[in-house]
Amino acid sequence: ELDLPAAAVDIVRSARWVTVFSGAGMSAESGIATFRDAETGLWERYDPAQLATPEAWEADPALVWAWYQWRARLVRDTEPNAGHHALAALAADRAVMVVTQNVDDLHERAGSDVVSHLHGSLFAPRCSHCGRPYRGTDVEPDRAVERLRVEPPMCPHCLAPVRPGVVWFGEPLSAESWSKAENAFAVTDVVIVVGTSGIVYPAAGLPERALARGVPVIEFNPEPSALSDRVTHSVRASAALGLPALLEAVRAGR
Ligand code: APR
C-alpha cells in the first residue's frame, strides 16, 4: 500500500497553483527508457558525447538527426501513462503548470496544456542558424529510417541545416522556457517533483527556489534522488502508481 502522507495530500488539495517538475522517470512506464538507470538508460546504448552535443552535430549532423528522429518515432508509438493522465486531471480544479526536462510530448498528449520544455522537444525542429521553427513535413519521424543517414533538411529562410529542437549538453536553455519555469516556481503553492535524478543544472536548481520560499516540494520516485533529502515529502512510488493515488486522495477529501 502506498504511504502517501496526508499532509502532502492536503497541501495539493488546498493549492491554487501547482507546479510539476518532471524528468525521464515520468515517461518510464510509457516504455521510454530513462537516461541513467543502468539497465535501461538510453545513454548506456549511445555515447552522449557522440550524439547530444553541438560538437557531434558539427561532426555528423545526419547521424545526430537520424537518432533524434528515431527517438521521435519511439515517442509517437508510445502512449502517455496513468501518471501523465493524473496530472492532466489534477488541472481540473486548480492551475497546474508542468515544467519538464523531457523532450517527449506525453504530458501534452495526456491533456496538460501548460507545459514548458526546459530541454526542448523532439517535435520542434528549428533552423540551426536563424532559429525559426521548421514546418517541413520531411522531418516527420515516420519519414526517417534510423539505419539510413537522413540528411538534415534546409531552412527555407536562410538555407542553413535544420536541427533537432533539443537543448544539448553545454548549450543554454531557451530563454522563453526558462522564464516560464522561473515564473511558475515564483508563484506556485506547491511543487510536485516526478521522475528526475535531480543532478542536471540549471533545471535541478528550480525545486530549491521553491523550498527557499518555504513552498513545499513533494517528490515521487521509486528511488532516492539528489533532491530526496531536501524535499518536504519524498514518496517512494512510481509516476503511474503515485500520481493517480495522489489524485484520488485529493478528490476524496474534497
Ligand atoms: N516513476 C518515477 N520515477 C522513476 C521511474 C518511474 N516509473 N523510473 C525511474 N524513475 C526515476 C529514477 O529513479 C531516476 O531518479 O527517474 C529518474 C530518472 O533520472 P534520469 O535518467 O537522470 O533522468 P532526468 O533526471 O530526467 O535527466 C535530466 O539529463 O540526460 C539529460 O537532458 C537529459 O533531461 C535529461 C536530464
Side-chain angles (χ1 to χ4, degrees):
E1 183 48 29
L2 191 58
D3 68 325
L4 204 49
V9 176
D10 294 343
I11 290 163
V12 173
R13 183 184 303 113
S14 55
R16 283 174 47 249
W17 294 90
V18 175
T19 295
V20 175
F21 180 61
S22 67
M26 181 77 227
S27 302
E29 282 147 302
S30 296
I32 296 178
T34 59
F35 291 93
R36 293 173 182 84
D37 290 357
E39 69 283 355
T40 62
L42 264 189
W43 295 134
E44 309 312 317
R45 282 181 233 140
Y46 297 93
D47 172 2
Q50 172 89 34
L51 297 169
T53 62
E55 294 73 27
W57 172 252
E58 287 309 312
D60 191 344
L63 172 69
V64 171
W65 184 255
W67 182 60
Y68 277 103
Q69 289 309 85
W70 170 73
R71 286 183 60 193
R73 239 175 47 183
L74 191 85
V75 170
R76 186 130 309 170
D77 299 343
T78 302
E79 292 301 317
N81 61 57
H84 294 104
H85 289 296
L87 292 177
L90 207 55
D93 310 321
R94 56 194 61 74
V96 178
M97 298 157 289
V98 177
V99 173
T100 187
Q101 300 170 88
N102 299 338
V103 294
D104 64 50
D105 61 349
L106 298 182
H107 279 300
E108 292 91 335
R109 281 166 51 198
S112 290
D113 47 24
V114 182
V115 183
S116 169
H117 285 269
L118 289 179
H119 296 160
S121 165
L122 291 170
F123 305 99
R126 60 179 162 80
C127 174
S128 57
H129 176 67
C130 73
R132 286 185 177 89
Y134 181 71
R135 310 229 181 281
T137 56
D138 54 345
V139 292
E140 276 307 309
D142 313 13
R143 301 278 300 274
V145 180
E146 66 272 14
R147 277 181 300 284
L148 301 179
R149 291 300 176 88
V150 176
E151 279 309 313
M154 288 237 251
C155 169
H157 302 274
C158 64
L159 303 185
V162 171
R163 60 168 279 176
V166 177
V167 178
W168 287 324
F169 290 110
E171 287 191 316
L173 273 56
S174 89
E176 192 237 344
S177 68
W178 183 249
S179 68
K180 271 172 75 176
E182 282 186 315
N183 295 342
F185 277 82
V187 301
T188 200
D189 299 317
V190 61
V191 178
I192 299 175
V193 176
V194 197
T196 182
S197 53
I199 59 176
V200 173
Y201 284 79
L206 287 167
E208 207 60 57
R209 295 186 180 209
L211 290 166
R213 277 197 310 114
V215 165
V217 176
I218 304 161
E219 177 187 41
F220 287 85
N221 194 324
E223 310 289 331
S225 74
L227 302 169
S228 295
D229 57 10
R230 283 178 292 169
V231 299
T232 319
H233 299 285
S234 188
V235 182
R236 285 289 156 274
S238 74
L241 292 177
L243 295 174
L246 172 67
L247 175 72
E248 193 186 328
V250 164
R251 284 174 166 169
R254 195 171 8 216

